[in-house]
Amino acid sequence: NGKPTDCYSCHQPEYAQTTNPDHQAAGFPTLCTQCHNTTQWEGATFNHDALYFPIYSGNHRGRWDECADCHYNANDFGDFSCIICHEHSDQQQVDRDHQGESGYQYGPRTCYDCHPRGSH
């Protein structure tokens, strides 16, 4: 009674000391139950498709090997790039394709702003 019900309230030191992967440096959320459960803490699962972007399914299925293929900054998984793999590296062509699109801006991750599920 009277104790917090979220994991992080009591397990902040474990979160801060985790190095594989470094949760704190990578900016992982402190909602531990997104990946861990109380019956099997080791071997956490991370549902990238449901939480962020469909990388395990659709057109992206089987097209990458490691997180670093998209997340170029190992200390901040919020940094990622779509254009390092896609044909969108030709900025002039992408600018032409998006002519007249409100809010369009060319950049390594701006694709995600309008295409959060990867579709056109």
Side-chain angles (χ1 to χ4, degrees):
N1 286 335
K3 298 288 185 196
T5 58
D6 69 298
C7 306
Y8 185 73
S9 293
C10 296
H11 295 280
Q12 291 177 19
E14 289 86 355
Y15 174 90
Q17 294 169 1
T18 301
T19 59
N20 185 21
D22 188 328
H23 288 30
Q24 191 169 357
F28 278 21
T30 58
L31 301 170
C32 305
T33 56
Q34 287 183 338
C35 301
H36 299 276
N37 63 56
T38 57
T39 58
Q40 183 182 359
W41 193 256
E42 297 293 324
T45 59
F46 180 70
N47 190 339
H48 197 285
D49 285 18
L51 294 172
Y52 298 103
F53 186 82
I55 201 72
Y56 296 109
S57 60
N59 292 336
H60 292 93
R61 183 182 184 106
R63 301 224 177 206
W64 61 281
D65 295 312
E66 299 180 16
C67 300
D69 289 346
C70 299
H71 298 275
Y72 53 87
N73 181 351
N75 291 323
D76 184 355
F77 281 99
D79 282 343
F80 60 89
S81 177
C82 303
I83 61 176
I84 57 175
C85 292
H86 290 274
E87 68 278 0
H88 301 336
S89 58
D90 180 352
Q91 182 176 355
Q92 291 177 342
Q93 180 62 49
V94 177
D95 288 346
R96 284 191 296 274
D97 291 344
H98 290 84
Q99 197 168 23
E101 293 291 334
S102 178
Y104 164 74
Q105 185 177 14
Y106 182 83
R109 64 170 285 186
T110 55
C111 310
Y112 184 75
D113 294 341
C114 294
H115 305 280
R117 303 305 299 161
S119 58
H120 297 283

